[in-house]
Amino acid sequence: MLVIDEINDAAPVALQAVKLLALYLSGGAQKEKALSSLSEWLSDTTVSSNPTLLLIAGMIYTHEQNYNEALKHTHVGGTLDLSALNVQIYLKMHRADYAEKQLKIMQQIDEDHTLTQLANAWVNLSLGGVKVQEAYYIFQELCEKYTRTVMLMNGSAVCQMHMDQFEEAESLLLEALNKDSKDANTLANLIVCSLHLSKPTARYLSQLKITHPNHVLVERAGAGEAAFERAVQSVA
C-alpha cells in the first residue's frame, strides 16, 4: 500500500498516525501490530494529545466496536473532525441525545461546514419522524453542491426507505452500485430495500459475502442459516 511505503519513522506524528490506520486496515498481522503500536503511542504523553492521533484512535476503536475506548480519546473534541466522529460513535451507541450535543458544538464552530451538515443529517435520520425529511434535503443539497458520491446517495436512499419510498430508494442504490459495485453500504441497503419490495436478495448478499465477509448482515445471515440447520436436524 502506497501510504505504508511512503511514510517513514521520521515523519510527523500526524502522518505516522495515518500510516497506522493504513496498517490496521490491511488486516491480519498488520492489524494486530497497528493496535499494539496505537496503545503505545496513546501512553506516550509527548504525542498522545495530537489531534490526528486522537482521531485515528477513535476511528480504529470504533471499527473494533470498542466505543467506550474510542470516546476516551475523542471526547475532548476541539476540532470538527473529532466532534463529527463523536456524533457517529454516540449514534452507534443509540445515544442520539449526546450526538445532538456534539452537533451543537459543531454548529457553534462552523454551521455551514460540510462535516457539520453531514452530522446534522445523521442526527436527523436517527431521530426519525419529520427529521428524516430534513436529513434527505441535506443529502440532496450536498449532492447538488458537490457531486453524487456513493456515500451521499446511500444517505438519501436510507432517508427514502424511512419514508417508505422503497422503489425510489432502490433506483438510487442501483445507481450507486454502478459507481462502486463493492461498496458495503450500497449492498447492505439494497438487501434491506429488496426485502421490503419482496425482491430476491441472493445476488447482493453473495456479493457482500465475497467483498465484506465480516459485515454484520453477513454474520446475521450466517447465524440464521446455522440456526435453521440446527432446527431441521432436531426434528429429522
Side-chain angles (χ1 to χ4, degrees):
M1 188 181 291
L2 184 61
V3 172
I4 297 173
D5 295 335
E6 292 294 320
I7 300 176
N8 58 44
D9 293 340
V13 173
L15 284 177
Q16 290 194 53
V18 173
K19 180 179 180 178
L20 201 64
L21 177 61
L23 286 168
Y24 173 81
L25 294 175
S26 298
Q30 295 279 49
K31 175 181 175 181
E32 295 307 315
K33 178 182 177 182
L35 286 169
S36 177
S37 296
L38 178 61
S39 180
E40 291 178 11
W41 287 12
L42 292 171
S43 299
D44 185 345
T45 55
T46 62
V47 298
S48 59
S49 61
N50 182 278
T52 304
L53 176 60
L54 294 176
L55 180 66
I56 297 299
M59 293 170 66
I60 289 176
Y61 287 126
T62 298
H63 200 276
E64 289 284 297
Q65 296 184 21
N66 190 346
Y67 304 129
N68 288 331
E69 188 66 23
L71 286 171
K72 177 181 174 182
H73 304 291
T74 63
H75 79 280
V76 293
T79 69
L80 283 174
D81 295 306
L82 284 171
S83 292
L85 183 54
N86 284 335
V87 169
Q88 288 186 321
I89 295 170
Y90 283 128
L91 291 178
K92 286 178 178 292
M93 296 174 71
H94 306 291
R95 291 306 306 263
D97 52 338
Y98 284 109
E100 281 189 281
K101 291 178 181 178
Q102 288 294 316
L103 174 59
K104 288 178 180 178
I105 293 173
M106 295 179 71
Q107 290 171 333
Q108 290 171 358
I109 298 173
D110 189 345
E111 187 172 9
D112 297 323
H113 195 282
T114 303
L115 266 180
T116 307
Q117 292 299 309
L118 279 171
N120 195 3
W122 300 333
V123 171
N124 284 340
L125 187 53
S126 176
L127 292 173
V130 296
K131 291 289 185 179
V132 174
Q133 185 75 61
E134 293 180 24
Y136 178 74
Y137 288 146
I138 292 173
F139 284 123
Q140 289 300 97
E141 287 174 6
L142 290 173
C143 283
E144 293 171 6
K145 185 176 181 180
Y146 299 107
T147 186
R148 289 163 67 84
T149 65
V150 170
M151 185 193 74
L152 291 176
M153 293 167 74
N154 269 274
S156 295
V158 171
C159 290
Q160 289 175 321
M161 285 193 281
H162 274 272
M163 296 185 290
D164 293 330
Q165 299 171 4
F166 293 103
E167 291 183 358
E168 293 86 345
E170 181 189 38
S171 177
L172 194 56
L173 290 169
L174 289 173
E175 184 182 341
L177 191 66
N178 285 331
K179 287 178 176 286
D180 184 355
S181 62
K182 297 180 180 180
D183 183 71
N185 289 329
T186 303
L187 291 167
N189 286 327
L190 273 168
I191 291 170
V192 174
C193 192
S194 297
L195 286 171
H196 281 277
L197 291 170
S198 300
K199 292 186 176 182
T201 62
R203 171 195 166 193
Y204 306 127
L205 183 57
S206 176
Q207 203 165 343
L208 191 61
K209 285 180 179 178
I210 295 170
T211 56
H212 302 277
N214 296 320
H215 193 278
V216 62
L217 281 186
V218 174
E219 293 179 347
R220 286 178 180 175
E225 291 170 2
F228 179 76
E229 287 297 323
R230 288 195 298 271
V232 170
Q233 293 174 6
S234 67
V235 296

